[in-house]
């Protein structure tokens, strides 16, 4: 279980075992999600490896560690499709 609060953020990651997750917004205001479609995964991975080069050499499973933060606008500027979803 994760607990979020105003202005909190969460790292880019792949869900455990590559399965979907369920998120319930118990109370509070709208939660915004940024999602890279499956069709863009290879582009995202390649961009992350270029951007973070040596870090991926020592931690090749970094996208599974929930430690990666990147601006969605930077992804879009680099040709990666990003979907924005508002959950109420």
């Amino acid at each position: 279980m994760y607990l979020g609060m105003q202005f909190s953020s969460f790292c880019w990651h792949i869900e455990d075992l590559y399965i979907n997750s369920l998120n319930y917004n118990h109370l509070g205001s709208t939660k915004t999600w940024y999602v890279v479609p499956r069709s863009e995964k290879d582009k995202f991975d390649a961009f992350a490896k270029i951007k973070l080069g040596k870090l991926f050499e020592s931690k090749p499973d970094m996208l599974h560690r929930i430690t990666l933060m990147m601006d969605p606008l930077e992804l879009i500027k680099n040709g990666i499709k990003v979907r924005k979803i508002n959950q109420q």
Side-chain angles (χ1 to χ4, degrees):
M1 182 168 94
Y2 296 103
L3 178 66
M5 64 187 82
Q6 186 175 14
F7 304 120
S8 64
S9 60
F10 203 70
C11 296
W12 291 96
H13 67 282
I14 299 168
E15 290 298 332
D16 296 336
L17 304 174
Y18 294 90
I19 59 175
N20 293 330
S21 68
L22 178 65
N23 188 281
Y24 179 71
N25 193 358
H26 184 68
L27 62 98
S29 63
T30 302
K31 180 176 184 174
T32 301
W33 293 87
Y34 294 95
V35 179
V36 174
R38 171 64 185 106
S39 61
E40 299 289 300
K41 182 186 180 309
D42 291 340
K43 284 186 194 176
F44 178 90
D45 290 355
F47 176 73
K49 287 176 183 176
I50 290 168
K51 181 171 176 64
L52 302 169
K54 292 205 180 269
L55 192 55
F56 266 95
E57 289 177 19
S58 62
K59 297 177 184 177
D61 63 340
M62 184 194 307
L63 293 177
H64 295 277
R65 294 176 176 254
I66 310 180
T67 57
L68 179 62
M69 296 291 284
M70 282 194 280
D71 184 342
L73 293 177
E74 184 178 14
L75 297 174
I76 293 167
K77 287 178 185 174
N78 283 278
I80 300 167
K81 293 178 185 171
V82 178
R83 304 287 186 246
K84 179 180 176 182
I85 302 164
N86 290 316
Q87 178 184 3
Q88 297 182 344

